[in-house]
Amino acid sequence: SADSPSRRIWPRVHSTLPRPSDDEPLEFLEERRELVRVREGIRKNADDWIRHQVLVNGRIDVLAREVLRFDIEPHHLAIMQHQSRYRDRRGCLILCARGFGKSFCATQLRILFEILRNPNVRVIVASRAADNAQTLANWVRQQFEGNADLIRIFGDFVGKELWDKRRWTVSKRTEILPDPTVQVLGEDSATASRHCDQLYVDDLVDNKNSWTPIRRKKTFEFFYKVLLPTVLANGVCYAIG
């Protein structure tokens, strides 16, 4: 269609032409150079289209499919749409069975998408254990570090100062803010003076912290008295489980 790059020529964008040899006829070398120019032109047009769809039109599914090479199933799209629908309503609850890809769609992909669209956003990723939250956040950080397609299309986001496993700030941030771009929290983490625009609470409840009434009460208080107060005015909380 006119609004998308041709699917038929898309594989050529990422193909590698063989290197020319010194004994090839001149006309073949010129033809090869022209093919390279055409290929680069196609790739640039495709990159421009992807960038526009993600940054301007808010197409998180385009980011997943064209940049991350993620095969989107109907239930994945439903999760993305549900989350987007409640973005201006201070958040939502997403419950899915294990293996449905909820953490990828609702936490990892969403965080990557939100940072690309607004490098000044502040995100907290929380789980029962800080190590679990760190695993989720590290996937996003690794995309900025090593996804060649992401870097080519959207630029270099790798931070030059704060860039470790539990707290990191992207280089494209333009505002001076006390909180990093992403930080992780667990039930035993200190939360004093921590604030965010977006809170992602992923798999907060498990057998360990819900087995007895006392543990359930502690988890309840951690969510409502510790995590939710970190969300700034007009912020949003996504609970995934």
Side-chain angles (χ1 to χ4, degrees), residues 209-226:
N209 61 8
S210 63
W211 187 255
T212 66
I214 294 177
R215 291 184 178 181
R216 288 195 293 272
K217 180 181 179 182
K218 181 180 178 181
T219 302
F220 181 90
E221 292 178 345
F222 175 65
F223 179 76
Y224 282 100
K225 295 184 179 181
V226 178

Side-chain angles (χ1 to χ4, degrees), residues 22 27 29 46 65 83 108 137 144 150 157 171 179-180 186 216:
D22 295 335
E27 59 268 24
L29 290 175
R65 185 180 64 247
Q83 203 170 18
Q108 295 171 312
F144 286 126
L150 185 76
F157 277 73
S171 61
D179 296 286
R216 288 195 293 272

